[in-house]
Amino acid sequence: MTALLVLAIALAATLGIGVLVRRNEGRVRAAKSTAPQPESRRAALLAAAGVLDGRPTVLHFSADWCGPCAAVRRVVASVVTELGDAPAPPLDLEVDIDANPELSRELNVLSLPTTFVLDSRGLEHFRIAGVPKVADLRRSVAPLTAPGTDE
């Protein structure tokens, strides 16, 4: 009887943790960071990765061995293409975490896929762990494509 009780408790705990993890996957979280200084390491790493000053950027980390990263590629490409006619069209940048570990450490990337929405100054506005929903990513990027909306 005790074994069944322990098994039931373990099953309930596992189920609860699974529900919490699934609920948070792909959720767009607002970031609280400051703009990188031009001489800072972060600014240099972002520039080396291809982040351009004056353009909002969707920066997503991936790897060859990451299955869900292909879905992120499709979602980001869809949103960037859709917003391509905006006054400040967003830039789609994919960074291989294995080829660029310094940038992933600097941005504190802990899991794959991870997507960042950066404004035209390189300021992180949103961070998404997992595969983002198209509507959520569009809602996050679209305001940054209008001129003068970096705040």
Side-chain angles (χ1 to χ4, degrees), residues 53-130:
D53 198 29
R55 286 201 51 198
T57 304
V58 180
L59 175 70
H60 49 109
F61 285 86
S62 66
D64 292 337
W65 47 265
C66 173
C69 292
V72 172
R73 234 175 260 121
R74 289 188 299 271
V75 169
V76 172
S78 168
V79 170
V80 168
T81 300
E82 188 178 310
L83 297 172
D85 293 334
L91 183 62
D92 174 7
L93 283 180
E94 181 174 2
V95 176
D96 187 323
I97 197 167
D98 295 326
N100 202 336
E102 300 86 21
L103 181 58
S104 62
R105 271 193 300 275
E106 179 68 28
L107 294 176
N108 201 23
V109 175
L110 301 175
S111 64
L112 288 181
T114 298
T115 305
F116 294 89
V117 177
L118 308 173
D119 68 11
S120 62
R121 298 174 295 161
L123 175 64
E124 177 185 334
H125 278 255
F126 299 100
R127 176 185 294 240
I128 306 157

